[in-house]
Amino acid sequence: MGISIVIMEQMLQLFLIMVMGGVIVKTGVLKGQDSHILSAVTLYLISPCVILEAFQVDYTLRVRNGLLLALGAAVIIHILILLSLPVLGRIFRLDAVEKASIAYSNSGNLIIPLVTAALGKEWVIYSSAFLSVQLFFMWSHGKMLLCGEKKIALRKIFSNINMIAVIAGAVLFISGCRLPSLVRGAMDSAGKMIGPMSMLIAGMLIGDMSLKKVFSYRRLGLITFLRMIVFPALSLAILKYSPLAGLTEDGFTILLITLLAVITPTASSITQMSQIYGKNAEYASVINAATSVVCMVTMPLMVFLYQL
């Protein structure tokens, strides 16, 4: 139960930051649209710093094997979700924002602070595997959903600053090269802002809406249920009852990190991408807020069930 309690405390802290974002808009200090600038800073500056810093660990066979396990588990989970999405889309008539919100978790913004608090900084490297897989799918499949593009442009995917950070981080990890301590210190400081900044953005967007507007989204309960209960339960079953954990040392804990990445709320990046690509960012932020509230119960519960 120890890890579950730590996760609940972390989520409560982030939720309070989201409330702060709403307050500074409601009091007129900032406007909701000002969050657009913060979204760009988070996507194109803070996120790459987080990715690069995660790879700055010593290369060993134990870490390599753990990364391969985490990578394989992340691919399996994403394939399961993306194969299920068209079926759910037809059944429930999901729009682009709803599909993207269901498919992509807030692992990019929350997994590192959660893993650091619950397990320790030495385990953060394994979260990079899930981040790498999700980044690829988010900037290919996710971008296609939100932009209305029909084809995957690999050049655009691999020229994205976040994918560049993944590739650069992997090269540095395999080669054993370390960035200067001054640079690492700056990236570490910037990376620590990712969770609070993302919740602040969501709060600012919600603060620009009336409660009547929030509750006007009648499908919010359905999307929250699919995002926070259905896919986490399926992922929990796969990670807990498959033979994956036995493939490498520390497999059980590494798959716990994968589970943590899956069961986080809807990705804040969906809100930020919706802003950038002209979709319904308000709806995306409401889904993010709702799942952030619900996850304070569902995340500790899923972790507890995994550890039973």
Side-chain angles (χ1 to χ4, degrees):
M1 281 294 289
I3 295 177
S4 299
I5 293 172
V6 170
I7 290 170
M8 185 180 294
E9 290 175 347
Q10 289 293 307
M11 295 311 303
L12 281 170
Q13 291 174 17
L14 291 170
F15 176 74
L16 288 175
I17 293 173
M18 183 170 65
V19 172
M20 294 176 194
V23 169
I24 61 174
V25 171
K26 288 294 186 184
T27 55
V29 176
L30 291 173
K31 297 179 180 179
Q33 57 263 37
D34 293 333
S35 63
H36 183 89
I37 297 172
L38 297 181
S39 295
V41 171
T42 302
L43 278 176
Y44 299 115
L45 178 61
I46 298 176
S47 182
C49 288
V50 169
I51 294 165
L52 281 171
E53 175 63 18
F55 279 102
Q56 289 289 284
V57 297
D58 293 332
Y59 180 91
T60 65
L61 288 178
R62 178 178 176 178
V63 174
R64 184 203 67 183
N65 292 339
L67 274 173
L68 290 175
L69 172 63
L71 187 68
V75 170
I76 291 171
I77 295 297
H78 277 90
I79 289 175
L80 169 69
I81 292 173
L82 295 183
L83 288 178
S84 303
L85 205 58
V87 178
L88 292 173
R90 286 193 293 271
I91 294 173
F92 298 111
R93 300 179 182 273
L94 303 176
D95 63 25
V97 170
E98 291 171 334
K99 288 179 181 178
S101 296
I102 292 169
Y104 299 108
S105 69
N106 212 12
S107 60
N109 298 334
L110 297 183
I111 188 62
I112 289 179
L114 287 177
V115 170
T116 301
L119 299 171
K121 194 170 183 180
E122 68 273 16
W123 293 95
V124 168
I125 178 64
Y126 301 112
S127 67
S128 63
F130 192 93
L131 293 179
S132 302
V133 174
Q134 175 156 290
L135 277 170
F136 178 82
F137 284 112
M138 184 180 291
W139 288 98
S140 53
H141 169 262
K143 186 180 177 184
M144 285 173 61
L145 280 177
L146 295 173
C147 292
E149 294 178 350
K150 301 299 182 183
K151 295 181 180 180
I152 296 177
L154 290 177
R155 184 183 61 83
K156 291 183 179 180
I157 295 172
F158 288 103
S159 63
N160 178 274
I161 184 62
N162 291 283
M163 285 305 299
I164 292 172
V166 168
I167 295 168
V171 169
L172 291 172
F173 168 68
I174 294 170
S175 65
C177 293
R178 292 294 191 95
L179 296 170
S181 58
L182 185 65
V183 175
R184 287 191 62 193
M187 290 194 307
D188 183 57
S189 297
K192 288 175 181 176
M193 294 190 291
I194 192 164
M197 184 76 85
S198 299
M199 300 308 285
L200 190 67
I201 292 167
M204 290 175 68
L205 286 167
I206 293 169
D208 211 26
M209 292 183 280
S210 65
L211 284 177
K212 183 179 179 181
K213 176 72 172 177
V214 172
F215 289 109
S216 69
Y217 293 109
R218 300 183 183 277
R219 294 162 59 84
L220 183 60
L222 169 65
I223 304 306
T224 301
F225 178 74
L226 291 173
R227 171 63 255 168
M228 301 309 300
I229 301 295
V230 174
F231 282 138
L234 289 173
S235 302
L236 170 65
I238 292 171
L239 297 174
K240 182 176 177 65
Y241 297 110
S242 72
L244 289 172
L247 294 178
T248 187
E249 189 176 0
D250 300 320
F252 184 83
T253 303
I254 291 169
L255 293 184
L256 171 60
I257 294 170
T258 302
L259 179 65
L260 283 173
V262 175
I263 64 178
T264 54
T266 291
S268 297
S269 298
I270 300 303
T271 299
Q272 296 150 17
M273 290 171 73
S274 296
Q275 283 185 309
I276 292 170
Y277 298 123
K279 292 296 182 180
N280 192 346
E282 284 188 351
Y283 188 23
S285 67
V286 169
I287 295 172
N288 179 258
T291 54
S292 295
V293 172
V294 171
C295 81
M296 286 185 279
V297 176
T298 58
M299 286 187 69
L301 175 62
M302 294 293 174
V303 170
F304 175 70
L305 292 174
Y306 178 79
Q307 293 181 304
L308 279 179

